[in-house]
């Protein structure tokens, strides 16, 4: 598999999506490296990629010390409270903050180390029972509650759209996310900055970019099919 070719092709597709978007936003690429070996991460790093997304804490930790150079890991999967201690000081961004119990644990660990942890609030935009995330209408209330936890910086919003071929539905959901993102961009909350709108994966990132996404999480288009062995 030619990783350089995969990356160049993806960059071209991102450029095309940006050109057909009404939003002039730079798009940050998170390469979803879950189930793929460290060698592939190092290869992509040589090609200029610095940000990699992992779903599972254990896998992230096992790769953390093996990668070459300065690599930013993003935790993009559901984070259990009892696993926070392993990664709170290792990740660039926790993209799946979705409950106060989790915020409390992150804050406690960060406070003890006198550091801040950057997080995205995960919204369950499709209201799917199988997915994590807060309800869309609870976003502002959740941010208000997070004000109590001074070691957490909210850097934006994250959503995983339903796995569907219904482009109309996807555009509608992405548009809805962007509305919340723009609304919160003029907020007066402490430690809340709408820097990233993380939405769009291998199968729907073009639509997401068209509707305002400035951070996409792409795995199979870069790494090929996942290896679950």
């Amino acid at each position: 598999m030619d990783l350089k070719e995969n990356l160049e092709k993806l960059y071209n597709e991102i450029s095309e999506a940006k050109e057909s978007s009404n939003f002039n936003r730079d798009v940050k690429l998170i390469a979803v490296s879950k189930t793929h070996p460290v060698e592939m991460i190092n290869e992509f790093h040589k090609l200029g990629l610095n940000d990699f997304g992992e779903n599972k804490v254990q896998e992230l930790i096992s790769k953390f010390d093996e990668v070459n150079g300065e690599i930013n890991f993003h935790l993009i999967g559901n984070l259990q409270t009892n696993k926070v201690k392993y990664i709170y000081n290792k990740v660039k961004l926790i993209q799946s903050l979705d409950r106060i119990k989790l915020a409390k644990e992150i804050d406690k660990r960060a406070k003890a180390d006198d550091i801040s942890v950057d997080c995205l609030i995960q919204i369950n935009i499709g209201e799917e029972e199988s997915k994590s995330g807060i309800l869309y209408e609870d976003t502002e209330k959740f941010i208000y509650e997070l004000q109590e936890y001074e070691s957490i910086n909210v850097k934006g919003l994250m959503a995983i759209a339903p796995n569907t071929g219904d482009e109309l539905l996807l555009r509608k959901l992405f548009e809805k996310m962007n509305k919340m993102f723009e609304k919160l961009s003029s907020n007066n909350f402490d430690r809340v900055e709408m820097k990233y709108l993380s939405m769009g994966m291998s199968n729907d990132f073009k639509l997401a970019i068209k509707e305002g996404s400035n951070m996409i999480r792409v795995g199979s288009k870069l790494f090929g099919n996942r290896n679950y062995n």
Side-chain angles (χ1 to χ4, degrees):
M1 186 189 298
D2 191 329
L3 300 189
K4 188 181 180 187
E5 194 180 299
N6 288 0
L7 185 58
E8 284 172 358
K9 194 177 170 192
L10 180 58
Y11 280 148
N12 286 336
E13 289 183 49
I14 290 168
S15 294
E16 283 168 20
K18 276 171 68 178
E19 279 169 26
S20 62
S21 170
N22 292 324
F23 304 94
N24 188 22
R25 292 175 183 164
D26 286 333
V27 177
K28 192 168 188 63
L29 171 61
I30 311 300
V32 179
S33 45
K34 63 177 181 179
T35 80
H36 296 295
V38 169
E39 291 76 19
M40 289 178 93
I41 295 175
N42 289 334
E43 196 58 42
F44 274 122
H45 183 54
K46 278 189 211 161
L47 294 169
L49 270 185
N50 295 322
D51 294 83
F52 294 84
E54 290 287 340
N55 269 47
K56 292 190 165 66
V57 168
Q58 203 173 343
E59 191 176 348
L60 193 155
I61 298 162
S62 72
K63 289 174 177 175
F64 187 81
D65 293 322
E66 288 186 49
V67 293
N68 297 335
E70 289 293 310
I71 280 175
N72 301 321
F73 276 111
H74 297 240
L75 197 279
I76 59 175
N78 179 257
L79 179 56
Q80 292 169 285
T81 313
N82 63 352
K83 299 276 177 73
V84 169
K85 60 189 172 198
Y86 302 115
I87 57 119
Y88 73 96
N89 57 353
K90 290 182 170 69
V91 293
K92 177 77 174 172
L93 204 52
I94 293 172
Q95 295 207 19
S96 49
L97 178 57
D98 65 349
R99 56 201 188 280
I100 291 301
K101 192 182 172 192
L102 178 58
K104 204 173 180 177
E105 182 65 19
I106 295 168
D107 185 66
K108 181 183 89 176
R109 298 280 171 186
K111 238 185 205 106
D113 277 6
D114 196 25
I115 62 169
S116 293
V117 178
D118 292 347
C119 299
L120 301 184
I121 294 170
Q122 182 173 350
I123 296 174
N124 186 348
I125 192 62
E127 296 185 16
E128 297 172 272
E129 283 183 23
S130 60
K131 289 204 174 101
S132 306
I134 62 165
L135 290 174
Y136 182 85
E137 56 268 25
D138 292 340
T139 309
E140 286 169 278
K141 177 176 169 273
F142 187 62
I143 288 177
Y144 181 76
E145 290 171 350
L146 287 175
Q147 291 292 281
E148 197 181 321
Y149 304 100
E150 295 177 1
S151 297
I152 290 177
N153 299 322
V154 173
K155 291 292 180 183
L157 308 175
M158 182 270 240
I160 301 168
N163 186 11
T164 174
D166 186 345
E167 288 197 5
L168 206 61
L169 173 66
L170 289 172
R171 288 193 82 139
K172 196 172 147 191
L173 294 175
F174 289 144
E175 186 184 1
K176 201 174 167 186
M177 279 294 299
N178 188 50
K179 273 187 183 149
M180 181 62 76
F181 181 75
E182 292 196 325
K183 183 182 181 185
L184 291 170
S185 292
S186 55
N187 77 83
N188 294 313
F189 291 111
D190 291 333
R191 302 175 307 281
V192 175
E193 176 195 7
M194 287 296 116
K195 188 175 182 183
Y196 299 119
L197 178 56
S198 175
M199 59 184 194
M201 303 196 294
S202 284
N203 57 339
D204 58 16
F205 72 89
K206 291 183 200 169
L207 284 175
I209 291 169
K210 283 175 188 175
E211 296 303 332
S213 172
N214 66 358
M215 178 180 275
I216 59 172
R217 310 175 304 275
V218 176
S220 55
K221 270 187 173 284
L222 288 169
F223 293 89
N225 292 331
R226 285 193 198 112
N227 175 19
Y228 285 112
N229 294 333

